[in-house]
Amino acid sequence: MAAANILVVEDEPAIQELLALNIKQAGHHAIRATSVEHAQMLLRETMPDLILLDWMLPGMSGIEFARRLKSDSMTKEVPIIMLTARGDEFDKVRGLEVGADDYVTKPFSPRELNARIKAVLRRRAPQMTDDPIEIAGLHLDPTTHRVTGHNVHIPLGPTEFKLLHFFMTNPERVHSRTQLLDKVWGDRVFVEDRTVDVHIRRLRNALVASNHQEMIQTVRGSGYRFSVHTDPGTQ
């Protein structure tokens, strides 16, 4: 599992310290907040890969904050794991209904928490994992940073590698330039939309070596798609 930035929103110092320690031991980075206001300030500075959100917080409740996060276009795609002492079925349903991806009841074991973090990242952000991927003879290994096509080595620069990794973990979906900038470059990096076109062209040229260049498709008026199929309106 690649290192993820995880925002911990927990007002009890001892529990927050334990969560941060577990996250660090799992190879991730913990960003700490003691309240919703503190979390909102941190979110203006950096966008996490996952949020661990306590149900009971001073001021605004975790459940209300989760609802706001999921209604905001900037944060709606960030996965949330709710942390709470509440174990009733009704409360679990409430958490999931506002958009939480999982629910951990206190007390919990470090092993359980880390397993749930890994499972949520795998579902919501598969490009965060180090699992090798193979589609139609094109093989990408995040651990060794190697790409081969029909056993032919394909050298890629860092950005082209990240771009291909994102495409292969999200196949058949159309992504706009803005979405690609957010997901591959990061929403805090200010580059022009046309930068995407340059790297798409480089990626296609590299994939010519194994005849996989046509899998990177331009969808007119929409963006780009990684696909093994050729549909009308693509090139």
Side-chain angles (χ1 to χ4, degrees), residues 10-189:
E10 168 62 64
D11 65 318
E12 295 187 33
I15 297 178
Q16 186 190 84
E17 184 67 31
L18 178 61
L19 289 168
L21 179 63
N22 290 339
I23 288 167
K24 183 177 180 180
Q25 289 178 340
H28 301 302
H29 306 294
I31 306 166
R32 308 187 195 189
T34 55
S35 66
V36 169
E37 291 76 13
H38 189 192
Q40 290 173 323
M41 181 184 71
L42 293 173
L43 286 169
R44 286 193 290 269
E45 298 173 359
T46 184
M47 196 61 60
D49 299 299
L50 184 147
I51 298 173
L52 291 182
L53 180 59
D54 188 33
W55 184 295
M56 299 297 292
L57 290 168
M60 184 186 299
S61 70
I63 203 79
E64 178 58 30
F65 187 38
R67 184 179 288 109
R68 292 194 181 189
L69 289 169
K70 291 302 180 180
S71 63
D72 188 321
S73 60
M74 288 290 292
T75 55
K76 67 180 181 180
E77 298 298 330
V78 180
I80 297 172
I81 297 178
M82 298 293 298
L83 301 171
T84 179
R86 297 169 180 259
D88 293 342
E89 186 76 17
F90 175 73
D91 292 322
K92 291 182 180 180
V93 171
R94 282 187 65 196
L96 296 173
E97 281 181 343
V98 299
D101 295 81
D102 205 348
Y103 191 106
V104 179
T105 304
K106 302 174 186 176
F108 48 82
S109 70
R111 180 177 295 181
E112 177 193 6
L113 178 64
N114 289 334
R116 289 178 180 270
I117 288 172
K118 185 174 183 178
V120 168
L121 287 174
R122 190 183 300 275
R123 290 198 307 268
R124 295 297 299 271
Q127 67 271 19
M128 293 296 301
T129 72
D130 287 333
D131 297 336
I133 314 161
E134 183 163 354
I135 299 176
L138 185 64
H139 182 90
L140 182 147
D141 190 333
T143 304
T144 61
H145 229 260
R146 290 178 179 170
V147 177
T148 57
H150 302 307
N151 296 319
V152 175
H153 175 62
I154 302 172
L156 294 178
T159 301
E160 285 74 36
F161 184 90
K162 289 174 65 178
L163 189 57
L164 181 61
H165 192 194
F166 178 74
F167 274 135
M168 293 183 72
T169 50
N170 296 274
E172 306 299 337
R173 299 179 183 178
V174 178
H175 308 280
S176 68
R177 291 183 181 89
T178 301
Q179 288 170 332
L180 289 172
L181 285 171
D182 287 348
K183 298 296 185 180
V184 177
W185 279 261
D187 68 336
R188 304 294 176 178
V189 177

